[in-house]
Amino acid sequence: MKKFPDFVPPTKVSYLDRGPTLHLRRCSLQAEDGQEWAFDKEEIRIGSMEDNDVVLHDDTVSRYHCKIVQDDTGYVLVDNHSTNGTFINKVRVREGFLKPGSSIAAGQSVLKFNAREEEVQIVPSRADRCGRLIGGNAKMREIYSIIEKIAPTATTVVIDGETGTGKEVVAQTIHDLSPRSKGELVVFDCGAVPPNLIESELFGHEKGSFTGAMMTRTGLFEQADGGTLFLDELGELPLDLQPKLLRALEQREVRRVGAAKAQKVDVRIIAATNRNLEEEVRAGRFRQDLFYRLSVVRLHLPSLRDRVDDIPLLVQSFLENGMYNRLPNGQQKVRGISREAAAALQAYAWPGNVRELVNVIERAVSFCSHQVIEVSDLPDFARHSRPATGAQQTVRRMPTGPAVSLQPNPPPTPDELLGEGVTFKDAKERWVATFERDYIVQTLKRNSGNISHAARAADIDRKYFRKLMKKYDIEAAGVDDDDEPGA
């Protein structure tokens, strides 16, 4: 346990050799009679009513006298329009920062404030569920423990992982377990909105501020005030808008497009990306200051192929909760899955991860004529354990030769893009994945398998080029970076 004289760092997760460690920011309040309260939550309410976190039996204390709010910069004491005022070190305040050792006076009651950082080793949860998350795999249970610790705080969270791993479900779970659960979880997909409209979407605009602005519009930051804003596909955010997001995070205020004044907002940020943000920073596509500002707590979601032991549990949950598995009388149409069908699902590589599994089970239910899903009810690619076209398709490796000889993939079929249950995001990811893989293969071919030359020809960072090769399991047998002088 380590004490800090002026500032206590925000809650943060460090991934060390011995496993993930949570650096948890805690505070305590001590009354003059020796009674003490300890907290690691985002908001602490102080007053005379019994539903406060700190109850003061004092006639001079208002029912909901004041509160202590935790943000990324420290602790703030806020007076709730109390009758007799709130004081920090004998100075009356409406709102003021607290330092360890400060005294808080509410009416005639005096509390001593202290804060500290505690290092907590993350031990995997024993549960196989956390909120809306399902899975008993050790990696998932480790994530459950982290979520349970950070959800009550105001900590900014970045979730990374492949498409379809459940990043939005993690965000929803964190929101549901936080004090902000009564507020709204507002979702914004940075990759689904044209770049010229993103600023208006996030921050709002005033009437007449630009062509087509026929009326004043509230931005998503304002809509999420008191709740959580989930920024999906953060890596797609245009570079010129990143400073404005950084300012909103640091100042906790936003200014609508065309407005003269900024306004305060109380929003927790959870972001998600399927890109490697460190590589994006090195390639100059993501601002370093915004990266460090966001990366307080980072959660990496494992791909489904890395936790295939969870598939039976996931399938059972989908069958129990999916509306597609309901008869007119409300009963389940399909009760379970056979051992052989489950084994076939576990042998598949799942390029679309959990989202793809949901679609497969919905299809299987529609084909199933009994109460148990059999192998014959599964689509061909799952039945024969061959990955379908997608972001993580297994690609044949080159054993020998001076260049890449992989053949381009056929484009996704209409069923894979436009079939029932395929979302816009799924279709887009499958199409982009096919393009990315074929582009890398053809560029390597044109450059005789030389990775450095191919990266320069593509005008992308060499490390990012190699990341794409790894993503699609492409191996060039020509000159590698380490073989080229000066590489």
Side-chain angles (χ1 to χ4, degrees), residues 102-302:
S102 299
S103 67
I104 300 171
Q108 295 180 359
S109 299
V110 178
L111 303 171
K112 184 178 180 181
F113 171 83
N114 259 308
R116 62 186 182 273
E117 178 192 14
E118 290 184 5
E119 189 175 286
V120 180
Q121 193 74 23
I122 295 298
V123 178
S125 170
R126 295 183 178 181
D128 59 8
R129 297 168 190 259
C130 178
R132 305 187 185 199
L133 293 166
I134 300 170
N137 181 274
K139 292 180 181 178
M140 292 301 296
R141 290 188 288 109
E142 196 173 83
I143 290 172
Y144 299 165
S145 291
I146 296 173
I147 289 175
E148 289 166 358
K149 293 289 186 183
I150 65 173
T153 72
T155 304
T156 301
V157 182
V158 173
I159 310 161
D160 61 53
E162 296 175 8
T163 298
T165 48
K167 296 185 285 292
E168 186 171 339
V169 180
V170 173
Q172 184 69 62
T173 298
I174 293 173
H175 175 76
D176 290 344
L177 297 178
S178 77
R180 297 175 177 268
S181 58
K182 294 180 181 178
E184 191 175 354
L185 173 70
V186 178
V187 179
F188 178 68
D189 188 341
C190 300
V193 178
N196 61 316
L197 296 179
I198 290 179
E199 183 176 4
S200 173
E201 286 286 328
L202 285 175
F203 307 122
H205 64 254
E206 296 292 336
K207 180 179 178 180
S209 56
F210 56 85
T211 303
M214 306 299 294
M215 57 188 296
T216 297
R217 177 171 180 170
T218 302
L220 297 180
F221 266 92
E222 291 181 66
Q223 292 178 30
D225 193 22
T228 304
L229 177 60
F230 175 54
L231 301 176
D232 199 8
E233 303 299 348
L234 180 68
E236 304 292 335
L237 189 69
L239 198 60
D240 60 328
L241 286 178
Q242 292 177 21
K244 296 179 181 180
L245 175 59
L246 178 63
R247 177 175 176 80
L249 294 175
E250 290 184 336
Q251 303 297 325
R252 298 290 176 177
E253 62 182 25
V254 295
R255 186 169 63 183
R256 294 177 182 172
V257 177
K261 294 183 179 180
Q263 49 190 317
K264 291 286 186 181
V265 289
D266 174 25
V267 175
R268 181 183 193 168
I269 298 294
I270 300 177
T273 179
N274 59 7
R275 295 192 181 190
N276 186 320
L277 289 184
E278 289 99 331
E279 292 186 7
E280 294 296 299
V281 169
R282 286 194 291 268
R285 291 185 289 268
F286 200 85
R287 288 179 62 101
Q288 187 177 49
D289 48 3
L290 179 58
F291 169 73
Y292 287 125
R293 178 63 183 75
L294 288 168
S295 299
V296 179
V297 170
R298 299 182 64 191
L299 296 177
H300 176 74
L301 289 187

Side-chain angles (χ1 to χ4, degrees), residues 297-334:
V297 170
R298 299 182 64 191
L299 296 177
H300 176 74
L301 289 187
S303 61
L304 185 55
R305 64 183 171 277
D306 291 331
R307 58 180 190 108
V308 293
D309 50 320
D310 283 339
I311 287 178
L313 191 63
L314 288 166
V315 170
Q316 197 60 44
S317 175
F318 300 156
L319 293 177
E320 290 172 359
N321 300 304
M323 294 305 297
Y324 52 81
N325 190 34
R326 295 291 173 187
L327 295 170
N329 62 5
Q331 304 239 335
Q332 283 184 225
K333 174 186 175 184
V334 177

Side-chain angles (χ1 to χ4, degrees), residues 349-362:
W350 297 109
N353 291 293
V354 179
R355 186 183 291 129
E356 185 181 11
L357 177 61
V358 174
N359 293 337
V360 166
I361 297 304
E362 182 173 356

